[in-house]
Amino acid sequence: MTSPKIKLTNVCKRFGPKVVLDGINLEVAAGESLVIIGGSGSGKSVTLKCILGLLTPDEGTIEIDGEPVIGMKRAERERVNRNIGMLFQGGALFDSLKIWENVAFGLIQGQGKNRVEAKAIAMEKLAAVGLGPEVAELAPAELSGGMQKRVGLARAIATEPEIIFFDEPTTGLDPIMGDVINDLIVKCVRELGATAMSITHDMASARKISDRIAMLYKGKIIWEGQTAEIDNADEAHVDQFIHGRAEGPIQMELRRL
Amino acid sequence: MNPFRPIGKAILGFFESTGRLIVFTLTALSHCVRPPFYLRLHGQQMIDIGYYSLPVVGMTTLFAGMALGLQTYAGFSRFSAEDAIAKVVALGITRELGPVLSGLMVAGRIGAAMAAELGTMRVTEQIDALDTLSTNPHKYLIAPRIIAGLTMLPLLVFVGDIIGIFGGYVVSVYKLGFNPGIYLSETWKVLEFKDVFSGLVKAAAFGFIVTLMGCFHGYNSRGGAQGVGAATTNAVVSASILILVFNYVITELFLKI
């Protein structure tokens, strides 16, 4: 049996007294698309940041391609990251660079490609996400939110990574643009044959882009299974979450006036 | 409640911040001398700090030189020592006013801009994006700014010295009726290499302080727009105070040599 592409074992993370991740165990197979769902503050973003090396877990191990990545030296981590693409929630495009330079950034800085070659690839990737050459010379601030998300996606796939992470890919977009982004994610991930891991609280998006779904609640994975099985999951938290009900075991922490 | 608790908390906070600043400084310095070097970014920062600060520094030192000329005349004429104006202006500008005023002006212009830019990059996840694109933020963002500060401020102060002395000359010759030839020869006679050099050493130190504070506070900013605002304020205030402290320390050191 091949080892999983991403493996988290008993990952814990605390911020002061607050336990955010409480012993997470998760595996993502090569070529699989896993979506982690969960409410705000459930630990989704922290999980992603721990895998990306932006935060260091207090306990547990994280393996990428069978290689433990926690405590890796900076140069080693950069080598691992060269196989990773990331679409940030807000796009995280570099304001000081033009659109094509944003898309080509990983090619120029990470892979050492020259600017002419990198620009040609960037234009291809922009076309792949439905953006024409007219946007290439613009600044990120000149684009709408949906277009910025597409540029972020183009940047994430520009280096043709083996693993792509998506952080709330449809948040802040109208339903139609959200669906366009979902379609693009599915298309890009399939074309690259990449392993994908996403976090979202948008169930429409989760159903569309995932092979498998895991639900995070209070720092623990409380359910995981095939996407088709989620409607029949015999779990009250999952049932409440996917139907978006206020009543149920998940209680929002509201301060009464 | 234990009355010593807030005191202890403040002391621990101070040591924590100091430790973080030391680690940040050493990391930044190590990236200043280790390849790869982003020459394009180094050039951009040098132009931004050196060239675009020239009008501000020029105006500041010009009027400082003019005011110093007038004040010296007003004070020294009480005991018939007006002839010393050229000497006082030359020494005052090169040893003290040129580097200190330039440093403070650059702290306001560049330190604030750096903190705001890096702070915005932090809260919009652009710095995290750099990490995921296998690019070290210290090398890409911090090192070019620090090197530009270290090298450009002495150049700015050298030009500012000339403009400041010219300011004293204009007031002395055209307002107070001094002989231009005598004024210039007095200026030339009194100035020693050490006077100008000590000012340039101060300038390099101030350039380092301004860029370090701008980068440190911006890079570590948290919490959205308010956090970026606080980082900007802290960068300017801490840089200004450190400039005045180090001005005294360097002055002491040069008086002992």
Side-chain angles (χ1 to χ4, degrees), chain A residues 53-223:
Chain A
L54 301 172
L55 289 173
T56 308
D58 299 319
E59 286 172 46
T61 58
I62 297 175
E63 292 173 30
I64 294 178
D65 273 330
E67 203 176 356
V69 292
I70 299 173
M72 243 181 188
K73 285 188 177 165
R74 176 99 211 172
E76 286 290 291
R77 183 72 226 199
E78 284 178 10
R79 176 182 57 75
V80 171
N81 281 359
R82 282 191 197 106
N83 269 333
I84 290 175
M86 169 77 187
L87 171 62
F88 285 86
Q89 185 176 348
L93 301 178
F94 304 124
D95 304 321
S96 56
L97 301 180
K98 293 173 186 169
I99 293 299
W100 80 262
E101 289 174 320
N102 265 283
V103 177
F105 194 91
L107 298 164
I108 296 169
Q109 306 300 345
Q111 296 185 351
K113 285 198 162 44
N114 69 53
R115 287 174 68 82
V116 177
E117 197 184 347
K119 186 171 184 178
I121 297 171
M123 302 305 267
E124 269 176 40
K125 300 300 175 191
L126 282 171
V129 297
L131 293 172
E134 67 281 0
V135 302
E137 299 294 329
L138 299 177
E142 294 176 85
L143 302 187
S144 67
M147 287 167 98
Q148 288 190 20
K149 275 267 162 84
R150 287 203 242 178
V151 176
L153 180 58
R155 184 173 70 180
I157 61 170
T159 55
E160 304 197 343
E162 291 176 15
I163 303 170
I164 311 178
F165 294 97
F166 300 98
D167 182 1
E168 307 275 10
T170 55
T171 297
L173 302 178
D174 66 73
I176 297 168
M177 182 52 76
D179 203 44
V180 169
I181 295 291
N182 287 334
D183 286 340
L184 283 171
I185 288 173
V186 172
K187 173 179 156 256
C188 294
V189 170
R190 277 204 192 128
E191 280 175 5
L192 288 175
T195 305
M197 187 167 171
S198 317
I199 58 171
T200 185
H201 49 239
D202 175 356
M203 278 313 298
S205 175
R207 288 176 198 276
K208 192 149 196 175
I209 65 178
S210 67
D211 299 321
R212 205 153 60 84
I213 295 178
M215 178 154 172
L216 196 57
Y217 178 65
K218 290 193 172 173
K220 288 180 188 287
I221 299 289
I222 56 165
W223 182 86

Side-chain angles (χ1 to χ4, degrees), chain B residues 133-155:
Chain B
L133 289 161
S134 300
T135 302
N136 191 322
H138 278 94
K139 195 171 281 300
Y140 187 80
L141 295 173
I142 312 297
R145 285 167 168 79
I146 287 184
I147 289 176
L150 262 171
T151 52
M152 287 296 106
L153 216 69
L155 276 177

Side-chain angles (χ1 to χ4, degrees), chain B residues 7 17 22 24 27 47 54 56 85 97 107 110 115 122 125 162 177-178 181 193 202 222 225 240 242 245 255:
Chain B
I7 300 169
S17 305
I22 291 169
F24 185 88
T27 310
I47 290 170
L54 200 52
V56 176
I85 288 183
L97 291 178
I110 295 295
R122 167 62 73 196
E125 296 184 305
I162 295 169
F178 278 71
F193 172 75
K202 284 181 178 180
R222 293 280 182 274
S240 302
L242 284 174
V245 171
L255 285 178

Side-chain angles (χ1 to χ4, degrees), chain B:
Chain B
M1 187 184 150
N2 186 343
F4 293 107
R5 196 172 165 167
I7 300 169
K9 198 175 172 187
I11 292 170
L12 286 176
F14 171 76
F15 281 116
E16 190 195 336
S17 305
T18 309
R20 276 186 23 227
L21 177 60
I22 291 169
V23 171
F24 185 88
T25 308
L26 294 176
T27 310
L29 285 175
S30 78
H31 285 292
C32 288
V33 293
R34 280 189 293 153
F37 300 108
Y38 298 103
L39 297 178
R40 201 186 172 92
L41 295 175
H42 283 275
Q44 272 174 8
Q45 291 301 326
M46 284 177 175
I47 290 170
D48 200 24
I49 296 176
Y51 182 70
Y52 289 116
S53 298
L54 200 52
V56 176
V57 169
M59 293 292 281
T60 307
T61 49
L62 176 72
F63 286 103
M66 291 170 79
L68 183 61
L70 282 178
Q71 290 285 17
T72 308
Y73 179 79
F76 282 34
S77 61
R78 291 177 195 170
F79 35 91
S80 307
E82 300 94 329
D83 295 351
I85 288 183
K87 294 172 185 146
V88 172
V89 168
L91 293 178
I93 288 287
T94 54
R95 296 175 74 117
E96 278 299 315
L97 291 178
V100 172
L101 292 178
S102 303
L104 292 174
M105 294 310 287
V106 172
R109 203 187 91 80
I110 295 295
M114 277 182 188
E117 186 183 358
L118 295 184
T120 306
M121 288 186 78
R122 167 62 73 196
V123 300
T124 56
E125 296 184 305
Q126 291 178 51
I127 293 180
D128 289 344
L130 277 176
D131 261 315
T132 62
L133 289 161
S134 300
T135 302
N136 191 322
H138 278 94
K139 195 171 281 300
Y140 187 80
L141 295 173
I142 312 297
R145 285 167 168 79
I146 287 184
I147 289 176
L150 262 171
T151 52
M152 287 296 106
L153 216 69
L155 276 177
L156 271 175
V157 167
F158 185 72
V159 175
D161 284 351
I162 295 169
I163 295 172
I165 290 171
F166 174 72
Y169 169 88
V170 168
V171 163
S172 303
V173 171
Y174 296 105
K175 188 170 173 64
L176 305 173
F178 278 71
N179 180 298
I182 294 173
Y183 188 94
L184 288 176
S185 97
E186 286 290 309
T187 300
W188 190 247
K189 257 194 276 177
V190 76
L191 275 180
E192 291 177 8
F193 172 75
K194 193 177 146 185
D195 302 319
V196 179
F197 182 68
S198 69
L200 298 185
V201 169
K202 284 181 178 180
F206 300 164
F208 178 70
I209 288 168
V210 168
T211 47
L212 182 71
M213 288 297 111
C215 291
F216 175 72
H217 289 288
Y219 191 84
N220 292 300
S221 79
R222 293 280 182 274
Q226 200 177 18
V228 175
T232 308
T233 307
N234 290 338
V236 176
V237 171
S238 56
S240 302
I241 291 170
L242 284 174
I243 283 173
L244 298 174
V245 171
F246 276 86
N247 178 52
Y248 175 75
V249 172
I250 297 169
T251 304
E252 274 266 358
L253 286 175
F254 270 94
L255 285 178
K256 283 179 185 163
I257 295 171

